[in-house]
Amino acid sequence: MKRIQDTSILMILILAGIMLSFKPVAEKPKPYAIVKTWDLPGVLDEVSGLSWAGNDQILMVEDEHATLYLYDLEAEKLEKEISFGENGDFEGVALDGSTAFAMRSDGMLFEIQQYLDENPKVKNYRSTLSHKNNVETLAIDKQNHQLLFAPKDEDPNDDQVKGIYSFDLDTHKMQAEQLFKIDMLDPVLKDYKEKKTQRTFRPSDLAVHPQTGAFYVLEGVHPKLLILNTTGDIKRVIDLDEKHFPQPEGITFSPDGRLFISNEGHGQPATVVEIRLSE
């Protein structure tokens, strides 16, 4: 009997030693924190682009109507709707003072002068991209006084890159050449590689950091955020939790660097989420 008891004690000690040898794996900290989430009204269920408008307000478009939506973050309500033309698949919006720009998915850029007026004057400009390229992005690069956009699907010049194209706000001319290229074969993207190279990363919007000049490029299909330096080199890839980012379609910064991302609604309200990135 004593031998059995000794054996039992020995086994208990061995098991205890084994358990102590396994240290709990620390949960990897998220690369960002959620600061606040705003539920948007039903008219913005398919919100597809946003731009900081000042005074704690964000200007948005959604992908069915030629309408600008001005949303007040502090009041948490839609302040104004501005129609600027015939309905279409509008995917991106950017602001240059009192002039708003909206990008249609076929690569047509709309300039809406004095956008807060009841009947703003509208002009349009044809880019080198078309519906085949599926343009969902638009951002203002204030330092270089230009607008930036990129194809979601294939690039017209090279199916192994996604080019960032520009519109000069001084000359109002589309620049034919790519400003820079996001290489779909970059080692940083190896974990996201698709059979069709062009599907490795599919931009849904982009923004320029107001202080660093870095480019932040969003993807909504497989939610993630690419951060590129001022020469277009990928410096960081951040996976976004689908719980908070079911389909991120818009991104913008406030002048002091607050970062906002919008999500289309999927059986729940569309949202704007403010996040703070970790270093």
Side-chain angles (χ1 to χ4, degrees):
M1 178 66 72
K2 185 176 185 302
R3 180 175 294 178
I4 294 173
Q5 291 176 336
D6 290 344
T7 302
S8 298
I9 292 170
L10 180 61
M11 289 298 295
I12 290 170
L13 290 173
I14 291 172
L15 288 171
I18 292 172
M19 291 176 68
L20 288 172
S21 68
F22 286 100
K23 295 182 180 179
V25 178
E27 187 176 339
K28 188 178 180 181
K30 282 189 176 181
Y32 60 87
I34 304 291
V35 178
K36 185 173 179 177
T37 299
W38 290 264
D39 288 346
L40 299 177
V43 71
L44 283 165
D45 275 352
E46 296 196 40
V47 58
S48 55
L50 66 165
S51 184
W52 184 259
N55 300 319
D56 241 16
Q57 295 180 324
I58 287 180
L59 192 68
M60 308 184 198
V61 291
E62 52 85 39
D63 61 9
E64 291 186 355
H65 302 95
T67 303
L68 302 174
Y69 300 88
L70 190 65
Y71 186 83
D72 191 299
L73 296 172
E74 185 175 355
E76 299 187 5
K77 68 176 184 178
L78 187 60
E79 291 287 354
K80 193 168 186 177
E81 299 181 30
I82 306 106
S83 176
F84 61 88
E86 295 182 2
N87 291 339
D89 185 15
F90 289 92
E91 297 284 352
V93 65
L95 272 174
D96 181 29
S98 61
T99 300
F101 292 87
M103 179 64 78
R104 206 166 60 188
S105 61
D106 62 358
M108 184 70 78
L109 179 69
F110 290 74
E111 177 186 26
I112 304 111
Q113 299 174 4
Q114 300 297 325
Y115 76 95
L116 290 174
D117 289 354
E118 290 302 321
N119 296 295
K121 185 177 180 181
V122 180
K123 296 181 179 180
N124 53 43
Y125 306 87
R126 166 55 62 191
S127 74
T128 56
L129 305 182
S130 70
H131 69 279
K132 184 179 180 181
N133 310 119
N134 194 9
V135 189
E136 292 197 353
T137 54
L138 190 65
I140 186 167
D141 176 6
K142 290 188 176 182
Q143 185 175 353
N144 297 297
H145 206 218
Q146 61 186 351
L147 298 177
L148 305 175
F149 54 95
K152 177 181 179 180
D153 296 330
E154 66 181 77
D155 188 285
N157 295 301
D158 187 339
D159 62 4
Q160 292 189 351
V161 306
K162 293 293 167 71
I164 303 294
Y165 295 82
S166 63
F167 174 79
D168 191 305
L169 288 168
D170 292 320
T171 64
H172 283 66
K173 299 291 184 183
M174 291 286 180
Q175 305 304 304
E177 298 298 322
Q178 299 157 325
L179 189 65
F180 58 81
K181 305 172 184 178
I182 303 174
D183 186 358
M184 298 293 97
L185 300 179
D186 190 303
V188 176
L189 295 174
K190 63 180 176 63
D191 292 338
Y192 309 99
K193 188 177 180 181
E194 296 281 351
K195 187 175 181 180
K196 289 187 176 180
T197 306
Q198 67 186 34
R199 291 181 171 268
T200 296
F201 183 72
R202 305 179 71 193
S204 61
D205 204 7
L206 63 93
V208 181
H209 195 288
Q211 296 159 352
T212 67
F215 302 97
Y216 287 62
V217 191
L218 188 67
E219 180 181 349
V221 179
H222 301 292
K224 67 176 72 68
L225 180 62
L226 254 62
I227 302 177
L228 296 78
N229 64 15
T230 54
T231 58
D233 299 315
I234 302 174
K235 292 302 180 183
R236 193 176 181 187
V237 183
I238 297 173
D239 290 312
L240 298 173
D241 187 344
E242 292 191 24
K243 178 181 178 181
H244 297 106
F245 302 98
Q247 189 170 337
E249 293 287 338
I251 184 170
T252 192
F253 285 98
S254 67
D256 59 356
R258 294 166 66 195
L259 176 56
F260 300 87
I261 294 174
S262 64
N263 295 279
E264 286 191 5
H266 287 275
Q268 56 189 2
T271 59
V272 168
V273 183
E274 181 181 358
I275 66 172
R276 184 182 300 114
L277 299 182
S278 60
E279 295 299 327

